[in-house]
Amino acid sequence: MTIEIELKFIATPEAAEKLATTLAAWPHQHVSARELTNIYFETDDNQLRRWDMGLRIRGVDQRYEMTLKAAGKSVGGLHQRPEYNVDINTPDLDIALLPAEIWPQGTDVAALQQRLEPLFSTHFQREMWLVQFADSEIEVAFDLGAVAAGEFSEPLYEVELELKQGQRKDLLQFAQQLIAMGGLRLGSLSKAARGYQLAQGNTPRPLRNLPLLKIPAKATVEQGMINALSAGLNHWQYHEEVWLRGNPAARASVLEALETLRQAFSLFGALVPRKASSDLRQKLTRIEELLADSQQDASALSFSLSSVDAQLALTHWLVEAQWQNWLDDKSKSKLQGSFKRFSDIMLSRITADLKDTFADVQLFNEFQDKATRLNRQLLAVHLLAGAYPAEEVNNWLSGWQTLQHAIAIQQERGLNTLVNQAVKQAPFWLNSGIPR
């Protein structure tokens, strides 16, 4: 087993043409393009997908390798996953050659083998550079080809950076210099994810509501902060992809994701000094300014240096815990405290703020003026309430969301009644029964 640490970028054709010239700025070894074919396998009920696994056979120059990628972590475009590789003589699947301990307990490997069938394939030319950067060795691969499943296919223009030796921080710093050439955006979807989408009929990806942020009851405040910011980044990248694929409604969800990130920084601002995130927040402001133009093109924004730099900087900040450099011992101790207790306090404050915000509001234009604050506070609740029973949280949210919707559709009558109904709801965080 190895732990694969890589950053994935989607490239424009123009960026692909500039890649070799750009990489010449660093010491490197070049490997000419080779043809690669990958066949991905799955059961008829997507069992591997449900285990967060991917299984493929790769063929290069009449040599074959079987690879299983197990569940790992992805933040932004940085993917860190355990990977098991086995050299094989023919392109025939034999999962008995993989270590037995990688499968969930009780798995009948022989029965699983019988259920596995080719699901989709990727065919591409891969050109590589082994780059020396700082104290690390980074493999840069450019893949040009297609992902195909049945009658559906889509092109591949990918640049992958894989850490072969050295430090993860070097990989991220190298990426920040590489994106300056333009025409790159972080690839949150792997080849496998795109292949599964094609195999399922290539239906349009739906818009997603921001979920309640699930987190264990014993989580620390720091874990809650990481999860909150990661959720905002995932929401951004998912809807950026939906927008790029032709759904203009996803633009509003990108804006919601940026607001979610701002709310996350605000929630934890008393524990992490604002100067620790000031550069990130400025980058987010720049994206919001670009999105203020209702005619903003999805591709132009997504491939802009402003957008990819902001996403990469946030990824770097999260995976390297860069806020730690700004903390004193007291703040570090508070971040290791109970996220559940922190959530109790913050949810009480949010409720008090909402009651105060809508106290004595009478005119419709006053409700409209308060709508932005309501939206922000409800996003904050989504980031805080994941340790509580979802039914109780959703019941509490429904009252405020009904008011939110009424204001959005310009319903002028009955708004005070909706406020009174929302205010009267019992606080779910006082009787959740979850241990601290």
Side-chain angles (χ1 to χ4, degrees):
M1 185 195 78
T2 60
I3 299 295
E4 180 185 56
I5 301 177
E6 63 180 17
L7 269 168
K8 297 178 183 290
F9 291 95
I10 307 300
T12 63
E14 294 77 16
E17 292 180 0
K18 295 191 295 184
L19 184 60
T21 302
T22 302
L23 292 175
W26 295 281
H28 68 274
Q29 298 175 3
H30 178 249
V31 179
S32 299
R34 297 187 297 172
E35 294 280 349
L36 275 69
T37 297
N38 300 277
I39 301 173
Y40 289 77
F41 295 83
E42 184 55 281
T43 66
D44 58 359
D45 61 351
N46 287 344
Q47 180 62 75
L48 296 183
R49 190 70 166 165
R50 288 187 281 118
W51 286 337
D52 196 17
M53 290 180 169
L55 178 64
R56 74 174 185 224
I57 289 178
R58 168 170 290 173
V60 185
D61 300 331
Q62 301 303 308
R63 296 177 59 192
Y64 303 96
E65 181 181 64
M66 180 172 58
T67 296
L68 183 132
K69 295 188 179 185
K73 296 189 300 182
S74 293
V75 178
L78 184 74
H79 304 261
Q80 302 175 88
R81 303 185 70 178
E83 181 177 280
Y84 302 85
N85 299 296
V86 179
D87 291 328
I88 52 181
N89 296 322
T90 61
D92 299 308
L93 191 67
D94 184 0
I95 62 173
L97 297 174
L98 292 163
E101 65 271 14
I102 69 176
W103 304 109
Q105 188 173 4
T107 299
D108 185 332
V109 176
L112 179 62
Q113 168 83 37
Q114 294 300 314
R115 297 171 57 205
L116 290 166
E117 297 288 345
L119 182 66
F120 59 89
S121 62
T122 61
H123 306 276
F124 53 89
Q125 287 189 331
R126 167 165 287 184
E127 188 175 3
M128 294 192 303
W129 296 261
L130 198 59
V131 176
Q132 300 296 321
F133 180 84
D135 297 321
S136 298
E137 189 174 73
I138 298 167
E139 180 183 271
V140 181
F142 171 56
D143 295 341
L144 173 62
V147 184
E151 62 183 292
F152 300 106
S153 67
E154 67 175 60
L156 281 178
Y157 278 89
E158 281 192 355
V159 176
E160 294 184 359
L161 313 183
E162 182 176 352
L163 184 65
K164 306 304 286 187
Q165 294 183 34
Q167 302 297 316
R168 184 177 56 192
K169 66 179 181 179
D170 290 342
L171 176 71
L172 291 159
Q173 289 171 356
F174 173 71
Q176 286 176 313
Q177 295 192 28
L178 184 64
I179 63 173
M181 76 175 188
L184 298 176
R185 67 178 178 88
L186 280 168
S188 58
L189 294 179
S190 65
K191 293 182 181 71
R194 280 178 277 176
Y196 273 97
Q197 181 73 16
L198 294 174
Q200 293 166 1
N202 201 28
T203 55
R205 289 171 172 82
L207 299 181
R208 292 177 179 171
N209 294 324
L210 183 72
L212 295 178
L213 187 58
K214 291 300 178 185
I215 190 165
K218 296 294 185 180
T220 66
V221 177
E222 186 171 47
Q223 289 172 320
M225 179 182 73
I226 293 170
N227 281 21
L229 289 165
S230 297
L233 180 55
N234 290 339
H235 201 58
W236 178 2
Q237 292 184 318
Y238 175 84
H239 288 99
E240 176 182 87
E241 193 75 35
V242 175
W243 190 17
L244 280 165
R245 290 171 182 265
N247 186 346
R251 176 183 175 277
S253 297
V254 172
L255 279 167
E256 180 184 56
L258 295 171
E259 188 57 56
T260 300
L261 290 169
R262 286 203 173 278
Q263 283 303 103
F265 281 122
S266 177
L267 281 172
F268 300 94
L271 303 179
V272 176
R274 287 179 61 82
K275 56 188 176 182
S277 63
S278 60
D279 184 58
L280 284 173
R281 288 182 285 106
Q282 289 173 10
K283 293 177 188 295
L284 295 178
T285 297
R286 175 57 182 154
I287 308 302
E288 291 166 337
E289 290 171 348
L290 293 172
L291 280 167
D293 178 2
S294 61
Q295 302 302 312
Q296 178 66 58
D297 176 74
S299 180
L301 178 66
S302 300
F303 282 98
S304 70
L305 184 57
S306 295
S307 180
V308 68
D309 180 48
Q311 291 185 13
L312 186 58
L314 180 54
T315 300
H316 196 165
W317 200 79
L318 286 169
V319 301
E320 292 294 313
Q322 291 182 333
W323 58 87
Q324 289 285 344
N325 299 329
W326 302 86
L327 303 182
D328 56 24
D329 290 341
K330 183 177 180 181
S331 295
K332 289 180 180 179
S333 177
K334 287 182 177 180
L335 278 180
Q336 295 310 305
S338 165
F339 180 66
K340 172 66 166 54
R341 185 174 294 110
F342 174 83
S343 295
D344 289 341
I345 295 169
M346 298 307 295
L347 288 165
S348 294
R349 290 178 181 175
I350 287 170
T351 302
D353 179 77
L354 287 173
K355 289 180 180 179
D356 183 63
T357 297
F358 287 98
D360 301 322
V361 176
Q362 299 295 329
L363 301 177
F364 178 66
N365 66 325
E366 293 179 295
F367 279 98
Q368 287 182 308
D369 291 342
K370 308 293 187 182
T372 298
R373 189 165 192 84
L374 173 60
N375 297 343
R376 289 173 176 171
Q377 295 290 39
L378 294 186
L379 289 176
V381 172
H382 279 77
L383 299 179
L384 292 166
Y388 306 87
E391 183 177 358
E392 293 182 24
V393 178
N394 287 323
N395 287 340
W396 186 90
L397 279 170
S398 64
W400 291 107
Q401 289 171 334
T402 301
L403 173 64
Q404 182 186 40
H405 178 69
I407 298 172
I409 64 172
Q410 300 188 0
Q411 173 186 318
E412 297 191 24
R413 295 181 180 275
L415 296 180
N416 289 110
T417 300
L418 295 178
V419 170
N420 291 334
Q421 291 173 345
V423 166
K424 290 178 181 177
Q425 295 175 112
F428 59 84
W429 56 95
L430 296 182
N431 53 12
S432 65
I434 296 176
R436 295 172 184 270

